[in-house]
Amino acid sequence: MNQLFPEIRTIPYEGPKSKNPLAFRWYNPDEILAGKPMREHLRFALAWWHTLCACGTDMFGGDTMDKSFGTSGMDLAKKKADAAFELMEKLSIDYFCFHDYDLVDEADTLAETNARLDEISDYILEKMKATGKKCLWGTQKLFGNKRYMHGAGTAPNADVFAYAAAQTKKNIEISVKLGASGIVFWGGREGYETLLNTDMGLELDNLARFLRLSIDYARSLGFTGDFYIEPKPKEPTKHQYDFDAANAIAFLRKYGLDRDMKMNIEANHATLAGHTFQHELRYSAVNGFFGSVDANQGDMLLGWDTDQFPTDVYNATYCMYEVLKAGGFTNGGLNFDAKTRRGSNTPEDLFYSFIAGMDTFALGLRKALALVEDGRIDQFIAERYASWTTGIGKRVIDGEATMEELEQYALRMGDVSTNLSGRQEYLESVVNDVLFGN
Ligand code: XUL
Ligand code: CO
């Protein structure tokens, strides 16, 4: 096959001292760390939409990148697939993620669009068999077409709901065909602008109905992977129904969907919700909803989703620390829901960006393992909560203490005599020590 990026060879691992911009310094895919290869810890995925489709357009200007490959239509769809697999091969990325309408352009009718999806998924399946690359997750694009301007599963018009269900049915079929280990539901327009025109109760009930229908259909096809909600607080709508992990989990529990769904946590969505990335991961994990990750970063000075390639080593370390504490990925992975900046517009920038993101998370993995091995943070937390392992604390945890007993205990005690320091600054310096010390 002719290469689309012939000037760039397979990216080698050269170690931390390398100055070669087309080499990894931290990502050594088959290096074993804590019993498994780095590629299995990290399960990197390429996002079809940003990588093959986004051309730099913003609110103020058009494309700065040419991803037309000199063609159009189904031929372009296949060229994009060729490019995706060449990138995955050269970058040692094992997985990809897609929206249905990243793979092909929508046609004038649903039937014709579905035929295009059949054709491209056959083509991709062949490439998967030839290369061993896998699908991390597929999702349906229920926010681009104007028919979804008021929502999809939460649309006020039942015809829109029906169309969205039909589109989702097809996406589930091609996701299953491609062996996806997950199916994502990002509620792109599942929210509202004003309550003056919105029946919130019906919209929430319908969103649950939409998810239940989708899950049951996928299971009926034998899909055994995970379903993910991807929380995001705002953009495109002012009030997105899946605001953050806590909100999404409460929603799933109310509607009895909690056994079927997990979270796909995106770093930039977390910060838009006023949370750290780590908070969203921890909240998901302690509630049994840890699933997958959209690895990117936002800009703290901007109030929208900039989807930047992640280069912040602290956040990558804290993310991988959560992943390790959650027992590692099962069906999930690290999907680079990230695009090169509008001004980073050459094919080499795609490689530099993936290398930057992958090396950042590879370094994050190494440092997270070092933090666990160092043990000072775990030990500090264990000591901080030690009062729950004996005496009155243990009686509360065992469900034995009564309000009367707690009152007697407090009366005898007089007042709390020891309240240990939280030592935040010390602990932050422990992290710096593990990150930068020798
Ligand atoms: C949008 C976003 C989406 C989802 C998939 O903010 O993150 O790309 O990841 O629909
Ligand atoms: Co995302």
Side-chain angles (χ1 to χ4, degrees):
M1 187 195 77
N2 287 336
Q3 296 194 7
L4 294 163
F5 308 101
E7 63 290 353
I8 297 180
R9 291 181 303 139
T10 297
I11 306 302
Y13 169 71
E14 291 186 356
K17 291 198 163 53
S18 173
K19 297 276 184 275
N20 176 1
L22 290 170
F24 292 117
R25 282 178 285 284
W26 306 102
Y27 183 50
N28 188 12
D30 295 314
E31 182 179 335
I32 307 287
L33 296 178
K36 62 180 177 182
M38 291 186 85
R39 62 184 344 132
E40 285 178 28
H41 277 287
L42 296 160
R43 289 168 63 92
F44 287 133
L46 165 152
W48 213 275
W49 52 105
H50 290 309
T51 312
L52 287 320
C53 305
C55 293
T57 296
D58 70 10
M59 297 291 274
F60 301 95
D63 292 355
T64 58
M65 306 165 200
D66 182 4
K67 295 182 182 171
S68 70
F69 302 105
T71 184
S72 61
M74 283 309 287
D75 194 47
L76 173 57
K78 288 176 185 168
K79 280 279 187 307
K80 283 184 184 175
D82 295 344
F85 280 82
E86 189 180 331
L87 283 162
M88 285 190 277
E89 288 277 347
K90 290 186 170 173
L91 285 157
S92 304
I93 296 174
D94 294 336
Y95 297 88
F96 63 92
C97 298
F98 68 90
H99 297 90
D100 44 5
Y101 300 164
D102 303 335
L103 302 181
V104 293
D105 291 332
E106 265 196 271
D108 291 339
T109 65
L110 182 63
E112 172 57 20
T113 307
N114 287 351
R116 291 182 185 181
L117 286 170
D118 287 336
E119 187 181 339
I120 197 68
S121 52
D122 283 344
Y123 187 79
I124 291 172
L125 192 56
E126 286 310 309
K127 298 188 86 72
M128 292 171 71
K129 285 182 190 153
T131 59
K133 301 297 176 194
K134 299 190 214 63
C135 179
L136 190 69
W137 50 258
T139 189
Q140 43 290 323
K141 189 171 182 178
L142 299 178
F143 47 87
N145 191 294
K146 68 177 191 276
R147 82 176 68 86
Y148 299 124
M149 68 181 180
H150 302 305
T154 62
N157 178 349
D159 287 352
V160 177
F161 184 104
Y163 200 105
Q167 184 184 328
T168 302
K169 175 175 178 291
K170 186 67 186 177
N171 180 61
I172 289 169
E173 289 161 9
I174 61 167
S175 297
V176 170
K177 172 173 163 183
L178 297 178
S181 48
I183 295 176
V184 162
F185 291 83
W186 171 56
R189 293 194 191 271
E190 312 295 26
Y192 69 95
E193 300 296 324
T194 171
L195 286 175
L196 294 173
N197 63 14
T198 302
D199 184 342
M200 186 195 275
L202 179 65
E203 291 200 1
L204 289 167
D205 290 351
N206 280 349
L207 183 56
R209 291 183 180 108
F210 188 81
L211 293 170
R212 172 50 62 207
L213 284 163
S214 302
I215 290 165
D216 289 350
Y217 182 67
R219 293 291 187 224
S220 79
L221 299 185
F223 176 72
T224 55
D226 289 337
F227 300 96
Y228 304 114
I229 291 272
E230 185 179 318
K232 184 176 185 182
K234 56 190 168 190
E235 195 201 17
T237 69
K238 178 171 159 184
H239 300 277
Q240 292 275 136
Y241 287 132
D242 302 325
F243 187 94
D244 61 2
N247 174 295
I249 290 168
F251 168 86
L252 294 175
R253 285 186 173 144
K254 173 180 173 188
Y255 291 101
L257 293 159
D258 47 314
R259 274 199 304 278
D260 295 296
M261 303 202 79
K262 295 179 179 166
M263 295 295 125
N264 181 40
I265 296 299
E266 177 164 328
N268 203 166
H269 295 182
T271 50
L272 285 176
H275 299 307
T276 61
F277 186 19
Q278 195 184 9
H279 166 89
E280 288 291 87
L281 291 164
R282 180 74 63 92
Y283 197 90
S284 302
V286 299
N287 283 287
F289 287 80
F290 171 75
S292 201
V293 170
D294 271 9
N296 62 13
Q297 70 188 26
D299 186 313
M300 290 306 157
L301 301 182
L302 300 176
W304 64 92
D305 195 10
T306 55
D307 284 338
Q308 292 167 224
F309 271 89
T311 52
D312 181 320
V313 176
Y314 281 101
N315 274 325
T317 302
Y318 288 135
C319 171
M320 291 315 298
Y321 188 75
E322 296 305 314
V323 172
L324 292 172
K325 293 278 180 183
F329 290 118
T330 47
N331 287 323
L334 293 171
N335 167 46
F336 288 109
D337 192 352
K339 59 189 171 204
T340 58
R341 298 302 81 202
R342 189 166 191 270
S344 304
N345 64 339
T346 70
E348 301 85 76
D349 285 303
L350 265 181
F351 284 87
Y352 294 145
S353 302
F354 273 106
I355 292 168
M358 294 167 75
D359 259 347
T360 299
F361 267 84
L363 183 54
L365 169 64
R366 292 175 189 276
K367 293 300 179 184
L369 284 164
L371 268 180
V372 173
E373 197 186 327
D374 176 86
R376 277 178 284 177
I377 291 183
D378 278 341
Q379 192 190 340
F380 186 86
I381 291 176
E383 284 168 12
R384 191 172 189 224
Y385 293 87
S387 65
W388 296 95
T389 59
T390 56
I392 194 70
K394 184 163 187 321
R395 285 186 60 74
V396 170
I397 285 191
D398 291 345
E400 286 164 357
T402 62
M403 288 299 270
E404 290 79 3
E405 180 185 344
L406 288 162
E407 181 188 44
Q408 286 306 315
Y409 183 89
L411 288 168
R412 272 200 312 278
M413 188 169 51
D415 200 354
V416 175
S417 59
T418 44
N419 222 349
L420 298 175
S421 164
R423 299 256 193 274
Q424 182 173 335
E425 298 81 353
Y426 159 71
L427 293 165
E428 286 167 353
S429 76
V430 167
V431 173
N432 281 348
D433 184 32
V434 171
L435 258 59
F436 306 109
N438 291 313

